[in-house]
């Protein structure tokens, strides 16, 4: 009889085929349950500064996916870094091993907490615009207390790096958290909040991806409210002083000063490089019971017009990469168009006021930001804002134009989040955040950035924003290991507990900073 051998052969064939169907591997390693990498092997961040080809890229859509990815990484001796929308321009998302893109994790739920009132839990990949919509359409309508300017950022990204808005009472967005859940080294889901363990919560609130993969974050939210958003264009020479800034801050929910380079430039003026002729854009928000004074349709049209204007501006600024000497002519012309409608005031719902600039992904910029503690009399805020402007003019006299977009100043409250650039034991301390933006790859940008960093580091022990550019600054890792030494030592106790195998500790810059601070050679 030949039946048995044939049946045996068919059985082996079926088993072999079934095994192959589930053994789609990464470097021939078996897939665990739902984990399958996407076919794309390369990833690029928003401005193109980071372009990597990791071992595998995953786009999970469930919590189980995250758990399985961590288990697979442990099995295959791989490390993990995460990314969302890709707005981080430092190397935090860079890895040769597994890159996890969390954008498909985008669900949310609103609940009424017995202690904190209304809360919203959002999965890691939910954008702020999606979160705003979920809160706005809830009954009753709700809102966060402060947010970043751009609403395209994902919630896990703004938490992991300590991103912030312009509202002093709220500080960084992480300070609005009630809790967050992270898939750690063991593949377990750990919840961090101040009731479970306050010190671990302060580590998790700005974790740089070092504790695991953020699965969800839970914010404390409040009933929707309106803000008056004022935009005034004032003389730097006449208005910019410590007393005016302090008074404005004390009478507002938040303030922002924006400087457009060389906006007072006039080619026909013999003394055309004079910062005293410039204006500064003073923006402030005031909470109000007044009704919104612009319809949704009008707001959508306004955002559309603003977006079109931003694209046109960027095209002009990009042209300066080959002709930087034209910077004053171009930037002053753009400025004249910006202020042509004069000072203005709008009453908006809070999220619309927070996100006053439409998110336009086609604008590719270099970004640099430093935070330093505000003096009680606010004198150093004015000194450093004016110094930054004067430095642009000093560069211009040498034929160099390193910033062609904006210099932006915001003042926010300190935080207890250990790795935040605004960490302070004084809970009432204020920090000045100076932000520089220019068209991507503008000549002399790094030279300018290094000069500004040296000043702020030497004078204030200032710290750069983790998500923006800082790694080109000479000796920056040794500097940060020193100024963050105490916080790193506290953070490391938590990191070592939840990632003892260093699956998530896959970033050369952070490794250098931690190793120096901890006295380790590895």
């Amino acid at each position: 009889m030949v039946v048995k051998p044939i049946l045996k052969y068919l059985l082996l064939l079926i088993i072999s085929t079934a095994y192959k169907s589930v053994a789609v591997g990464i470097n021939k390693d078996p897939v665990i349950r739902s984990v399958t990498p996407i076919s794309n092997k390369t990833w690029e961040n928003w401005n193109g500064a980071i372009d990597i080809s990791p071992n595998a890229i995953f786009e999970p859509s469930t919590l189980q996916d995250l758990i399985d990815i961590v288990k697979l990484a442990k099995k295959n001796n791989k490390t993990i870094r995460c990314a969302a929308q890709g707005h981080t321009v430092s190397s935090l998302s860079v890895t040769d091993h597994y890159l996890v893109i969390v954008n498909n994790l985008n669900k949310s739920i609103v609940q009424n907490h017995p202690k904190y009132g209304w809360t919203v839990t959002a999965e890691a990949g939910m954008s702020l615009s999606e979160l705003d919509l979920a809160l706005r359409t809830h009954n009753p309508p709700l809102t966060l207390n402060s947010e970043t300017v751009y609403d395209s950022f994902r919630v896990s990204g703004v938490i992991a790096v300590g991103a912030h808005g312009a509202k002093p009472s709220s500080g960084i967005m992480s300070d609005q958290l009630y809790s967050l859940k992270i898939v750690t080294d063991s593949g377990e889901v750990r919840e961090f909040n101040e009731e479970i363990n306050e010190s671990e919560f302060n580590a998790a609130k700005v974790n740089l991806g070092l504790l695991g993969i953020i699965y969800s974050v839970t914010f404390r939210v409040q009933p929707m409210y309106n803000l008056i958003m004022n935009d005034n264009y004032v003389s730097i020479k006449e208005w910019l002083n410590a007393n005016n800034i302090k008074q404005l801050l004390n009478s507002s929910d938040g303030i922002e000063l924006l400087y457009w380079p060389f906006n007072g430039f006039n080619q026909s003026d013999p003394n055309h490089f004079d910062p005293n002729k410039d204006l500064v854009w003073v923006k402030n928000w005031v909470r109000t019971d007044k009704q919104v004074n612009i319809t949704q349709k009008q707001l959508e049209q306004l955002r559309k017009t603003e977006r079109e204007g931003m694209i046109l501006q960027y095209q002009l600024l990009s042209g300066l990469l080959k002709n930087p000497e034209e910077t004053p002519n171009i930037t002053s012309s753009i400025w004249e168009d910006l202020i042509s409608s004069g000072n203005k005031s709008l009453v908006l719902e809070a999220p619309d006021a927070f996100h006053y600039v439409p998110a336009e992904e086609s604008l590719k910029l270099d970004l640099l930001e430093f935070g330093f503690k505000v003096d009680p009399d606010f004198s150093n805020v004015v000194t450093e804002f004016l110094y930054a402007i004067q430095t642009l003019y000093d560069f211009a006299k040498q034929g160099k134009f390193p910033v062609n977009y904006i210099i932006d100043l915001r003042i926010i409250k300190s935080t207890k989040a250990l790795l935040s650039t605004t960490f302070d034991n004084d809970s009432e301390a204020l920090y000045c955040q100076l932000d520089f933006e220019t068209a991507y790859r503008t000549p002399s940008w790094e030279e300018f950035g290094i000069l500004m960093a040296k000043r702020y580091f030497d004078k204030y022990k200032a710290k750069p924003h983790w998500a923006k550019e800082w790694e080109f600054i000479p000796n920056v890792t040794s500097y940060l290991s020193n100024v963050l030494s105490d916080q790193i030592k506290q953070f490391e106790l938590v990191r070592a507990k939840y990632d003892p195998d260093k699956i998530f500790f896959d970033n050369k810059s952070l490794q250098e900073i931690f190793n120096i601070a901890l006295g380790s050679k590895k």
Side-chain angles (χ1 to χ4, degrees):
M1 293 287 291
V2 294
V3 175
K4 287 185 178 180
I6 291 173
L7 289 175
K8 184 177 181 181
Y9 171 78
L10 289 174
L11 182 60
L12 288 172
L13 181 63
I14 291 169
I15 293 172
S16 174
T17 303
Y19 174 78
K20 288 178 181 178
S21 70
V22 297
V24 179
I26 305 158
N27 290 345
K28 299 182 180 180
D29 289 319
V31 170
I32 298 178
R33 298 176 65 172
S34 60
V35 181
T36 305
I38 63 173
S39 58
N40 188 16
K41 298 297 183 183
T42 62
W43 180 81
E44 185 178 278
N45 78 324
W46 151 73
N47 73 350
I50 296 172
D51 188 351
I52 59 175
S53 299
N55 184 251
I57 301 174
F58 298 91
E59 293 184 347
S61 57
T62 68
L63 173 58
Q64 188 61 53
D65 289 346
L66 297 183
I67 294 170
D68 290 348
I69 291 168
V70 172
K71 289 181 178 179
L72 185 67
K74 289 198 74 169
K75 176 179 176 61
N76 295 338
N77 196 29
K78 302 295 182 183
T79 56
I80 295 173
R81 294 302 291 170
C82 296
Q85 196 68 14
H87 284 101
T88 294
V89 294
S90 66
S91 71
L92 291 183
S93 296
V94 173
T95 180
D96 291 329
H97 290 188
Y98 291 177
L99 179 65
V100 178
I101 310 295
V102 300
N103 292 358
N104 290 337
L105 293 160
N106 57 5
K107 298 180 180 65
S108 67
I109 182 170
V110 176
Q111 295 178 305
N112 203 338
H113 191 278
K115 179 178 179 180
Y116 294 106
W118 291 110
T119 64
V120 60
T121 299
E123 289 185 327
M126 193 170 209
S127 70
L128 293 179
S129 62
E130 292 170 332
L131 183 59
D132 289 339
L133 181 62
L135 292 171
R136 199 192 301 256
T137 55
H138 184 267
N139 184 18
L142 303 168
T143 180
L144 288 162
N145 195 37
S146 180
E147 299 183 56
T148 57
V149 172
Y150 294 112
D151 64 4
S152 57
F153 297 166
R154 309 287 169 149
V155 295
S156 59
V158 299
I159 295 305
V161 301
H164 61 88
K167 196 168 186 178
S169 62
S170 293
I172 59 174
M173 285 193 65
S174 298
D175 284 336
Q176 298 178 68
L177 285 177
Y178 159 63
S179 74
L180 69 163
K181 292 182 179 179
I182 297 176
V183 180
T184 62
D185 170 290
S186 63
E188 297 176 284
V189 182
R190 297 286 184 175
E191 182 174 7
F192 296 83
N193 67 44
E194 61 184 12
E195 294 172 342
I196 296 173
N197 188 312
E198 185 175 2
S199 61
E200 290 190 356
F201 186 45
N202 285 331
K205 285 198 294 185
V206 178
N207 59 70
L208 306 180
L210 296 177
L211 301 183
I213 306 175
I214 296 176
Y215 165 61
S216 68
V217 299
T218 300
F219 292 104
R220 300 186 301 273
V221 295
Q222 58 186 284
M224 180 65 70
Y225 63 92
N226 295 341
L227 289 166
I228 301 173
M229 185 175 72
N230 299 306
D231 293 290
N232 294 287
Y233 310 102
V234 300
S235 166
I236 287 179
K237 183 178 180 180
E238 296 175 5
W239 185 87
L240 193 62
N241 60 66
N243 188 54
N244 281 344
I245 292 177
K246 191 172 184 178
Q247 285 186 359
L248 184 66
L249 187 71
N250 289 338
S251 61
S252 306
D253 270 45
I255 69 170
E256 186 169 6
L257 306 186
L258 301 105
Y259 170 74
W260 200 273
F262 313 109
N263 64 72
F265 178 82
N266 186 338
Q267 184 68 57
S268 61
D269 189 332
N271 186 23
H272 48 249
F273 282 142
D274 182 3
N276 289 315
K277 298 174 183 176
D278 288 344
L279 302 180
V280 62
W281 177 357
V282 179
K283 195 173 193 72
N284 76 305
W285 295 263
V286 179
R287 190 160 180 159
T288 183
D289 292 329
K290 292 181 179 180
Q291 296 298 307
V292 171
N293 62 2
I294 182 172
T295 67
Q296 188 61 34
K297 186 175 181 180
Q298 289 172 326
L299 182 60
E300 289 172 1
Q301 182 58 49
L302 176 62
R303 294 290 185 255
K304 180 182 178 182
T305 301
E306 289 172 338
R307 182 174 284 106
E308 291 170 349
M310 290 170 65
I311 293 171
L312 178 58
Q313 291 168 19
Y314 181 72
Q315 290 171 348
L316 293 171
L317 297 179
S318 296
L320 297 174
L321 302 183
K322 293 182 178 179
N323 302 288
E325 69 280 358
E326 291 297 319
T327 298
N329 276 321
I330 296 298
T331 56
S332 59
S333 297
I334 294 174
W335 174 257
E336 286 300 317
D337 183 62
L338 280 173
I339 68 172
S340 60
S341 59
N343 298 338
K344 51 187 176 290
S345 180
L346 287 174
V347 180
L348 300 166
E349 288 189 335
D352 296 325
F354 299 149
H355 309 303
Y356 68 88
V357 175
E360 178 46 57
E361 299 296 305
S362 66
L363 274 65
K364 310 300 182 184
L365 302 171
D366 275 316
L367 308 170
L368 188 63
E369 182 177 329
F370 301 99
F372 58 87
K373 195 170 183 176
V374 175
D375 286 342
D377 64 358
F378 280 60
S379 58
N380 62 339
V381 174
V382 176
T383 297
E384 299 314 325
F385 196 58
L386 289 175
Y387 177 81
I389 294 170
Q390 182 59 54
T391 302
L392 287 186
Y393 277 91
D394 293 343
F395 269 66
K397 291 173 183 177
Q398 303 172 46
K400 300 176 181 179
F401 302 90
V403 178
N404 52 41
Y405 195 41
I406 59 169
I407 298 176
D408 172 276
L409 183 153
R410 287 168 285 178
I411 297 174
I412 62 173
K413 196 174 182 180
S414 64
T415 179
K416 296 297 184 184
L418 291 174
L419 294 186
S420 171
T421 56
T422 58
F423 170 85
D424 203 296
N425 288 315
D426 179 2
S427 60
E428 297 303 313
L430 295 176
Y431 276 73
C432 175
Q433 301 297 124
L434 262 180
D435 183 36
F436 303 89
E437 302 182 15
T438 194
Y440 182 49
R441 293 184 175 173
T442 294
S444 304
W445 165 252
E446 290 193 2
E447 179 186 356
F448 173 82
I450 290 169
L451 180 66
M452 303 308 292
K454 178 172 173 46
R455 178 179 174 90
Y456 300 143
F457 290 176
D458 290 348
K459 288 190 69 174
Y460 306 108
K461 293 186 177 179
K463 294 174 280 292
H465 194 306
W466 290 113
K468 299 182 182 180
E469 297 170 56
W470 50 273
E471 288 155 303
F472 67 80
I473 300 168
N475 304 313
V476 70
T477 54
S478 59
Y479 168 78
L480 288 173
S481 70
N482 180 47
V483 296
L484 294 171
S485 177
D486 291 342
Q487 294 98 282
I488 287 173
K489 289 171 183 175
Q490 295 176 62
F491 183 91
E492 175 61 14
L493 297 175
V494 183
R495 191 211 63 75
K497 177 180 178 180
Y498 293 107
D499 185 24
D501 298 321
K502 297 188 175 181
I503 289 178
F504 306 102
F505 204 4
D506 179 19
N507 179 270
K508 292 180 181 179
S509 295
L510 296 181
Q511 287 169 356
E512 288 181 17
I513 293 167
F514 272 62
N515 288 342
I516 296 171
L518 300 171
S520 172
K521 294 182 179 180
K522 294 184 179 181

